[in-house]
Amino acid sequence: MRVELRLPHPTIAGRFMRRVNRFAAEVVVAGRPRYVHLPNSGRLSELLIPGALVRVHPRGHGRTWGTLLLVRHHGRWVGVDSQAPNRLWETALRAGGLPPVCGVLRWEREVAYEGERLDFRVQAADGTWLVETKSCNRVEDRVALFPDAPTARGARHLRALARAVRRGMRAAVIWFIQRDDARRLRLDVQADPELAEAGREALRAGVVLCAYTCSVTAGRMLVRSAVPVEVPPG
């Protein structure tokens, strides 16, 4: 199944200068400094290097001039929009699904479950699924590492999915690695031991953990290959 997400048009070339705060950066576009929205609260320290080539969509949020979507890293484009996985997954749902959730009949976004707000509830041929989508940008020695900063919300969601499975539902976490050079994804216990422990709990309960690499160009993101997810032992 071909799952392709068209990026907002146009994207304009620029150079990264500095990060202003969690959600803003300064870039140079056509010789002029611009403040842009950065739709990712992760550290991104290996990507956001002064002078790095970037692609910016010239529509910002509030006082920003545009939105930073892509960073050039080791000869490839890497997506940094943390909302792209939700859009990729919804594109897949429209086409009938993507393993492990196939035969999709209908779905809802932003669903409440036990005090948490989860990304999707999907009615599929084999039952009801709760699905969380996650973004991953960091790859070291062909291993995608998640997260790159502590995420208490991510740990809570994994535990909520584990409880749902124990009550007879199906649940999955699907990572979209916004680059094509990873061969597996690993929960990074050094970056967030609480998230790693929640991942172990989810795996024991029967939550499906899967990840997909993506081929990224200046104009689109294409889901490529499924890769295994490693949960370090406790």
Side-chain angles (χ1 to χ4, degrees), residues 1 14 18 20 45-46 49 52 67 76 87 91 124 127 136 148-149 157 161 182 208 223:
M1 180 189 302
R18 66 187 179 98
V20 178
S45 55
E46 76 286 0
I49 299 171
T67 300
R76 59 174 46 83
R87 295 194 289 271
T91 300
C136 184
D148 78 340
H157 286 175
L161 294 179
V208 180
V223 176

Side-chain angles (χ1 to χ4, degrees), residues 138-145 179 181-184 186:
R138 183 164 62 110
V139 174
E140 296 179 5
D141 297 324
R142 296 190 176 272
V143 179
L145 297 170
R179 50 197 292 175
D181 56 336
R183 296 296 174 266
R184 61 188 184 276
R186 179 186 302 148

